[in-house]
Amino acid sequence: MKFAVNVSTIFTEAPFLARFAKAKQHGFSHVECQFPYSVAPEAIADELEQLELSLVLLNLPAGDWEKGERGLAIFSDRHDEFRRALEEGVRYALALGVPNLHCMAGVLPRDLPRERAKETYMRRIDEAAATLAVHGLTLTIEPINPFDMPGYFLTDIEEAAAIIRDLGRTNVKLQYDVYHMARLGRNVTAMFADYAPLIAHVQFADAPGRHEPGTGELPYREIFAFLQEHGYNGAIGLEYIPSGKSSESFVWYEEYRGMKGGGGR
């Protein structure tokens, strides 16, 4: 199986561009990232090329993160900002060879009716998917648990799947985060099996702490084996927060690679 280090949550002890080399030093050939937009794409592309790394996922710009914004897609009065975010995300994806772009929905304000937000959200996802399709890119949407992100619009995988089916866009897929599913009290393997045809990307952190595999309650070896047995051949994004130093959070990975005869990169 392929694992992709999320350089937005791991190796944060180092400057952003230095994190790619650290991922490579620990035996990885795939990485993912949340928001790379403070660094020129040319600089990131140079790192990826020199280190022979593949960047598998980015988030579209999601508003003012420091002020608590978690996406723009549900707000009808922020269409121009959404368009600019979409253009920026596509620019980075094309420069960096990234196949998947995650569009965050946003935190639902108390004065915005949910149905109105959903109508806007579906229009924005449809618009973004049409733009990405021109370039052969996939748009992902991700149910996120309300404990980590209170008020986030999209928490239900059934609703996410229904939105994808209603839109009928072949390049709109699920981003399946095992951690979020576990925090929502779902059976993580059963949910994957139910929605496998809609899933483009998988992420993992142990639950409930959101740290590296082996620090929580999830049977990660069995989960990884299940994904492999059920034909998932994409990367598993390691979007965890190390419980200590990042460099010491890969004990599970060395063990896994040993069990697989040196594979698992």
Side-chain angles (χ1 to χ4, degrees):
M1 301 207 73
K2 301 188 293 282
F3 295 95
V5 172
N6 191 307
V7 294
S8 297
T9 64
I10 302 174
F11 299 123
T12 57
E13 304 93 335
F16 180 76
L17 281 178
R19 299 173 195 174
F20 296 95
K22 289 185 175 295
K24 186 70 173 184
Q25 289 164 9
H26 283 80
F28 295 93
S29 57
H30 297 78
V31 289
E32 65 175 29
C33 178
Q34 294 173 350
F35 305 104
Y37 304 106
S38 63
V39 178
E42 296 80 8
I44 301 172
D46 286 346
E47 287 296 305
L48 295 174
E49 182 177 3
Q50 290 177 22
L51 296 166
E52 298 182 327
L53 289 172
S54 296
L55 185 59
V56 298
L57 177 77
L58 300 176
N59 287 351
L60 292 177
D64 193 330
W65 196 267
E66 297 303 317
K67 291 184 178 179
E69 293 184 343
R70 298 295 184 267
L72 304 167
I74 63 173
F75 302 107
S76 61
D77 60 346
R78 300 182 72 176
H79 185 221
D80 289 347
E81 191 176 350
F82 178 82
R83 283 297 310 175
R84 290 193 296 271
L86 178 58
E87 291 168 2
E88 185 77 338
V90 169
R91 183 169 76 91
Y92 270 71
L94 295 178
L96 303 176
V98 179
N100 302 306
L101 281 163
H102 172 216
C103 180
M104 297 190 73
V107 174
L108 186 68
R110 292 182 180 179
D111 60 352
L112 177 58
R114 181 173 178 80
E115 282 307 308
R116 188 184 304 169
K118 185 173 181 178
E119 290 171 5
T120 301
Y121 180 63
M122 291 187 69
R123 288 198 300 270
R124 298 293 180 265
I125 295 300
D126 190 59
E127 176 184 358
T131 299
L132 266 61
V134 173
H135 305 287
L137 303 175
T138 296
L139 185 75
T140 64
I141 62 175
E142 177 188 22
I144 295 176
N145 81 78
F147 308 105
D148 288 63
M149 201 171 287
Y152 189 71
F153 173 79
L154 189 65
T155 61
D156 186 87
I157 192 169
E158 286 85 1
E159 181 178 25
I163 287 171
I164 291 171
R165 289 169 176 149
D166 288 346
L167 289 174
R169 293 274 188 185
T170 57
N171 69 324
V172 181
K173 298 290 185 179
L174 282 170
Q175 186 164 307
Y176 188 82
D177 191 308
V178 173
Y179 168 77
H180 289 306
M181 288 298 104
R183 292 287 280 142
L184 287 162
R186 312 307 293 266
N187 181 311
V188 298
T189 51
M191 286 294 98
F192 180 90
D194 286 347
Y195 295 105
L198 299 180
I199 294 171
H201 187 64
V202 172
Q203 292 178 316
F204 189 93
D206 215 330
R210 203 172 190 177
H211 302 309
E212 63 269 21
T215 57
E217 300 171 358
L218 294 178
Y220 67 91
R221 299 179 190 86
E222 289 83 352
I223 292 170
F224 296 157
F226 178 90
L227 294 174
Q228 192 165 26
E229 289 164 5
H230 282 73
Y232 179 70
N233 58 10
I236 298 177
L238 301 172
E239 196 185 35
Y240 64 74
I241 300 166
S243 59
K245 294 180 179 179
S246 295
S247 60
E248 297 174 356
S249 71
F250 298 109
V251 173
W252 67 273
Y253 180 59
E254 295 302 325
E255 176 190 336
Y256 184 86
R257 288 175 66 188
M259 291 169 60
K260 295 296 179 180
R265 294 188 181 189

